[in-house]
Amino acid sequence: MGARPIALSAEDLLARYRAVRGLTTALAHPLSDADATLQSMEDASPAKWHLAHTSWFFETFILRDHTTDYSAFDDDYAFLFNSYYEAEGPRHARGQRGLISRPSLDQLLAYRSHVDAAIEVAAGSLNETALGLLELGLHHEQQHQELLLTDIKHLFAQNPLLPVYMPADAVAPPDTALEILWIKGPAGIHPIGHGGAGFAFDCETPRHDALLAPFALASRTVTNGEWIEFIEDGGYAGAQYWLSDGWAWVQGEAIDAPLYWQKDDSGWQRFGLDGLQPVILAEPVTHISLYEADAFASWADAKWSGARLPTEAEWEVMAAALQADGGNQLSKAAAIRPTVSSMPANAGGLSDMFGNVWEWTGSAYRPYPGFRAARGAVGEYNGKFMSGQFVLKGGSCATPRGHMRASYRNFFYPHQRWQFTGLRLARDI
Amino acid sequence: MGARPIALSAEDLLARYRAVRGLTTALAHPLSDADATLQSMEDASPAKWHLAHTSWFFETFILRDHTTDYSAFDDDYAFLFNSYYEAEGPRHARGQRGLISRPSLDQLLAYRSHVDAAIEVAAGSLNETALGLLELGLHHEQQHQELLLTDIKHLFAQNPLLPVYMPADAVAPPDTALEILWIKGPAGIHPIGHGGAGFAFDCETPRHDALLAPFALASRTVTNGEWIEFIEDGGYAGAQYWLSDGWAWVQGEAIDAPLYWQKDDSGWQRFGLDGLQPVILAEPVTHISLYEADAFASWADAKWSGARLPTEAEWEVMAAALQADGGNQLSKAAAIRPTVSSMPANAGGLSDMFGNVWEWTGSAYRPYPGFRAARGAVGEYNGKFMSGQFVLKGGSCATPRGHMRASYRNFFYPHQRWQFTGLRLARDI
Amino acid sequence: MGARPIALSAEDLLARYRAVRGLTTALAHPLSDADATLQSMEDASPAKWHLAHTSWFFETFILRDHTTDYSAFDDDYAFLFNSYYEAEGPRHARGQRGLISRPSLDQLLAYRSHVDAAIEVAAGSLNETALGLLELGLHHEQQHQELLLTDIKHLFAQNPLLPVYMPADAVAPPDTALEILWIKGPAGIHPIGHGGAGFAFDCETPRHDALLAPFALASRTVTNGEWIEFIEDGGYAGAQYWLSDGWAWVQGEAIDAPLYWQKDDSGWQRFGLDGLQPVILAEPVTHISLYEADAFASWADAKWSGARLPTEAEWEVMAAALQADGGNQLSKAAAIRPTVSSMPANAGGLSDMFGNVWEWTGSAYRPYPGFRAARGAVGEYNGKFMSGQFVLKGGSCATPRGHMRASYRNFFYPHQRWQFTGLRLARDI
Amino acid sequence: MGARPIALSAEDLLARYRAVRGLTTALAHPLSDADATLQSMEDASPAKWHLAHTSWFFETFILRDHTTDYSAFDDDYAFLFNSYYEAEGPRHARGQRGLISRPSLDQLLAYRSHVDAAIEVAAGSLNETALGLLELGLHHEQQHQELLLTDIKHLFAQNPLLPVYMPADAVAPPDTALEILWIKGPAGIHPIGHGGAGFAFDCETPRHDALLAPFALASRTVTNGEWIEFIEDGGYAGAQYWLSDGWAWVQGEAIDAPLYWQKDDSGWQRFGLDGLQPVILAEPVTHISLYEADAFASWADAKWSGARLPTEAEWEVMAAALQADGGNQLSKAAAIRPTVSSMPANAGGLSDMFGNVWEWTGSAYRPYPGFRAARGAVGEYNGKFMSGQFVLKGGSCATPRGHMRASYRNFFYPHQRWQFTGLRLARDI
């Protein structure tokens, strides 16, 4: 990331600052001090940490570096709430984040208010660099909003009592999924990546040409019902559909269903922010790893006469003309969950390309031709994660509305699945 | 353990019940919901867990089993707060205890009140078996009081901010330790173990004869000052003084001082319930493992012309005539810590045999001749831990006053040191 | 892989069979029964295993499946010497391969002879499918020849006595490396992958168009002298040049130099098949991981004003016109090692694109557009490894001459470095 | 250990030296170079290592230290073949012993001959200290003879082909076990440990009084048939009979029978030095851990109205008058195995106290009152292992005849069971 051409005025940025910061605090509202303190695995962080780390970002890169008279809320926080910025000095070990009962949730909410007040004062006199960092900080905070929700979901799933983050509205979902149509994509050379005005992370640049072979994309993502077919057809029972690393993972971790699924006498249940609920067949499957997505595609390839994961470029070219801020994305604190895809508004016939579930692609997360990491501490942000991970596109129901772009590159290791991850198939034509 | 001959009336027991239960709640008073939720290592438990598990004990073995109309506070608690009683059914994995943010601290304090109220009602009509279990439950809870304090200390030590559980009174300690005298013990056959009236755990029985070779016991425990001599003389730097397993532990864990010690420009500091404070040379060393105690004894053997760990029988015979409820033991919530030994009141010249620090013995924790485990679920309590552990005697500053006996057998693995563990040397004569 | 269009007659194939099989046996000649039995890590296999597994391949897929009267040499061998062909049934755990002292080396050489004799008899009457499998088996065996050498090297490196596989000829190497020139590559659309006649593994297909941005390739690979500059400039001492996973690997494994390097009073030494020898500054660096290659490229990018890893497509397009069977490749059992690059014979100015050291690319090992795995057990060969690994090109001094192609895709995990791995830099222009 | 009062003349010692050294070589005779090189787990060592380490002992502590003109066979061997003598300097990591294909078996047999020849020359002029060390070295080598056999057995058990070390004589064993009689022991004070003339390890000293409560010892060890009853009665299926650490071991390692047992359609089979053979019901059970022995005793206590493990002192007092060199012990290289106990020759009615299987006691391996470790490097031998292990008594079918004494203290961790370990029950009376 780094300073992008600024499209927003300081005033507009401040308005967005208030909205984004307010949503984060609202997301933490249902949480007790204890809820917000715990860390359920090394991949996740405590909610308190998300609240504080996002504030530390503004405090460090703007207030400390770009204002003259700011005094830190607490000098110890830089050590506690730095994440992976090696250039910013030593930091608390990631796996130890969940052992910090103090400062309390209330103290960290006070820290947030302290930083917010200082930003309000400073906003009018920030230079362009600082405004760029402010915008960056908001996008950074939106990423942590999604993680806060998925980390809390993971934490609550470890509690045998399966607590409810927030009850869901009782809305009867449609009971059948749309049929899959295969939407033909444009072969040949097409530009992908970010260019022009507007914010983007450094890894989305430079905009460059990609060459596509003839392909089609499925009109919707894979559903829970289809996933149960895969299970019942022995999808998890043998090596044949799996990448070698994936099969080792299945066996080592005794995987036999998506994360948060359990089966009882009444059938498959899934745990969510709204507690334990029946699996809805027509809803998109979520909380699957890349290994599972790939195995499903291999199974579907045999069963449906052609299927594979899309590449990042295929997905992005198809999404380029669609509204990135539409669909099922995060707008307020709620028991968010994927919903059944409805007929797409767009001419192309693709449902829910944005929102609902992140879509695994078959593309490794590697630098674009000509990529240069942004300078300085913030430049550590993306480039250094470019090994071993796969790209996901489109955002999910937990992605803050306004955060998404067609060029957005999310990335996770192939075994990770505590995000709202799903898949949309592609095929050669 | 199991029903011991009851020395106390139901009324006296109820009075003790109120005192013990009240102290536990008082110990938790300085803790926030988050403090009480965290588990810093698998050996430790969250304070909430201690509060609830001790209540579950009374609820299960007395209210459920020995009253007719009790209804459980919450049916899920049996799963969450059983510890290791296999006969009581499945239970929550020990290493997962720190992922339970709900029920909250307040809910568990309400659980305590619920159980206490029911015990108050039931106490008058309990039969002898139930009264025996009630007394057992109090001793059990006292054990957890000590663990609650040592577990919180361990948790706070993981926090880079080193929070203070409670500030200590500013009392200037004596600056010199008493000289060590070697107090001669009685060789020959002597009875040890528990017999007669009064409560004891099953592992203390039966009372039986032990045969002692001529020996002497040091008049006081080893001090911090002596430990620093050991460090400075290369005690941790080479294998020569160490048991083979101990040396592997030193190297594997990079051990170079007692737990909670750190060295800075002003010298050795130690973390305690009162925060980070200077190491007082005249105070007894604490938070050492059996491996360290044994290595120190080997070093002292060479340096002081004769030293070794005492056996359990030697210690117990020497302590038999002393007051078990004297000295530095736990009476109220406070920043408890070991204190400098003063001239012993007892004729024999042995300081602080009870209280201050647990004293490692060289005796493996194994059954006494003729030992039979108590029947039923509570019988799992002690016997099944009789491999790989060593006996400690005498209690510590964190042991509730009234809990200790000469025959008391505490036991830990040789690498464990988060209790207030220390040592008193013995020698052959 | 799978049956490729056959370019070779049965007679020619048989001649190649004799040559390839003979070379494998010759490579094992310096080894004792014990040498050939040991496995030094899970990534490696015993030499006996290589000898037997390659024979099992011919026995199973040709003699068992395509001849009528063959009887297996030993029915237990299928279990012992299957590698990862899930479809071929259960097999001995990879990590346990080094615990099989029997059958002995002599028995396995007899097994080889038994299979060879049967192939000689059968060769004349094999159908096209079987001949395709025979050719496949030879390429498969050539891969194991390279592994046999690198696995023995790794094994001998674990022995404190550092035994010599074979003494090297005492040839004085040139003492200076060629200067690096930046050879401009052709931007635009170019075909890569395998097409037309001749053997290739399935992962090299289909031939397809790739789009290249303007770039240049270094005329030679990075040398030991340049690597020492990287070391001395703190290359391994801080996170700045490293991928995040790479830095974790450096710290976790205490990496501070290429594999097999050690420093003594006379400077850097490296262990090789010829024993411990001084590092020659002008020789290509080898036994580096992708993480190290990437970190070096980041360092060189800062120091040399532009450097990065090449992509697979860039490398392949540049190599397309070069002789794939030239340079320093394996022809006979010898103490093979990389050699100093000399002026390239080719017009383009690129030294040692084939042979000497495998060249890491920045391309993840993923399927080509339109890729379909070969059918049946042999189809498991390549496709299932397409996650988490990176592509290497060009072969090494341990690659059997005749095995290499521009389209050849070797692949390893980014931390692996016991192969003869090196790097050639590229840059954007 | 250390120099014990010498009972044997130099001539007698030399005769014993030849016999012991010859037996070791004979035990290695059925092994190939590869067999002798492998290490199947960290607890075990390669046969080559046993051959060399025992020679290194004589070379170092006698030839180097007590002769004037000896030159080492190979200066590297001190590093390779030192075991745990910290005082003798750095040594090869235990877990890496199995990666040393060179020196070869033949070279190490030559090393043995070289040392033997030097001892023959030196024997006549050794002083008393050296003769003491020579005797010590022979007892040390006898220990390694037993380990060589049990380590080879463990290694061969890892090979799916289950190779035979040596075929057994086909002798039909008796098909019924003797009835168990409970032989009453003498309560009161009795001396145990080694005193007087003759060799013993330091840990057997000093001879001292032990106090025994009334007890009886079973006339024979537990049989395979009784063990199958335990299995079929759910012995391994629930926690009730197990020490807590033992139950964790059962679950963690999926233990459900003694080591080397497997069940097929024809019933229980056991692997031995004579290959896979049916379990003979009347034979003593062997290859059980202390945890299993203790669980069996708890089961038998419930079923047989009284049973527990004997203490070391009980066992030793009962064995004091018996012939230590009788019974089923190792005399020559053979497919040794436990045999069915026959009517005891001794008046007391105790079968097979010596030989057949090692008998687990319930006594922790701790120092005797007044114990002092021997001085110098050899003094590291026993004392430093005195934590976490249990004492076994009596020797086994793999113990060299002449090595055993009533005071002999063997010791292993409670989970270890690759030795010929069994149990004899005791009970309180």
Side-chain angles (χ1 to χ4, degrees), chain A residues 174-178 220 222-225 279-284 339-341:
Chain A
D175 57 0
T176 50
L178 297 173
R220 62 156 172 78
V222 170
T223 63
N224 289 328
V279 166
I280 306 296
L281 299 186
E283 281 181 4
T339 51
V340 177
S341 295

Side-chain angles (χ1 to χ4, degrees), chain B residues 86 189 209-211 213 239 242-245 247 291 301 362 364 366 369-370 372 383-387 390 413 428, chain D residues 86 189 209-211 213 239 242-245 247 291 301 362 364 366 369-370 372 383-387 390 413 428:
Chain B
E86 303 267 357
I189 292 182
D209 284 337
L211 180 60
W242 294 83
L243 287 164
S244 180
D245 288 351
W247 184 239
Y291 293 135
D301 185 45
R366 291 289 299 154
R372 314 294 294 185
K384 73 180 180 179
F385 296 111
M386 288 175 172
S387 68
F390 282 78
Y413 288 98
D428 300 323
Chain D
E86 303 266 357
I189 292 181
D209 284 337
L211 180 60
W242 294 83
L243 288 164
S244 180
D245 288 352
W247 183 239
Y291 294 136
D301 185 45
R366 291 289 299 155
R372 315 294 293 184
K384 72 181 182 178
F385 296 111
M386 288 177 171
S387 69
F390 282 77
Y413 289 98
D428 301 323

Side-chain angles (χ1 to χ4, degrees), chain C residues 139-192:
Chain C
H139 290 276
H140 172 252
E141 181 142 348
Q142 288 181 310
Q143 295 179 310
H144 282 278
Q145 289 170 344
E146 181 154 6
L147 291 170
L148 189 154
L149 285 171
T150 52
D151 290 356
I152 279 291
K153 182 171 176 177
H154 191 267
L155 171 66
F156 281 6
Q158 312 311 308
N159 188 328
L161 308 188
L162 294 177
V164 171
Y165 169 76
M166 219 178 261
D169 304 332
V171 179
D175 56 0
T176 50
L178 296 172
E179 197 186 348
I180 286 187
L181 304 176
W182 292 96
I183 312 298
K184 191 174 169 183
I189 292 181
H190 299 274
I192 64 167

Side-chain angles (χ1 to χ4, degrees), chain C residues 33-42 44-49 80-81 92-102 155, chain D residues 34-35 37-41 98-99 155 158-160:
Chain C
D33 186 19
D35 293 336
T37 298
L38 296 182
Q39 178 182 29
S40 58
M41 61 171 172
E42 188 153 347
S45 294
K48 282 194 335 196
W49 194 90
L80 288 179
F81 302 121
H92 194 228
R94 180 171 187 120
Q96 305 287 306
R97 286 180 188 164
L99 298 178
I100 309 298
S101 52
R102 306 180 186 189
L155 171 66
Chain D
D35 293 336
T37 298
L38 296 182
Q39 178 182 29
S40 59
M41 60 170 172
L99 297 178
L155 171 66
Q158 313 310 309
N159 188 328

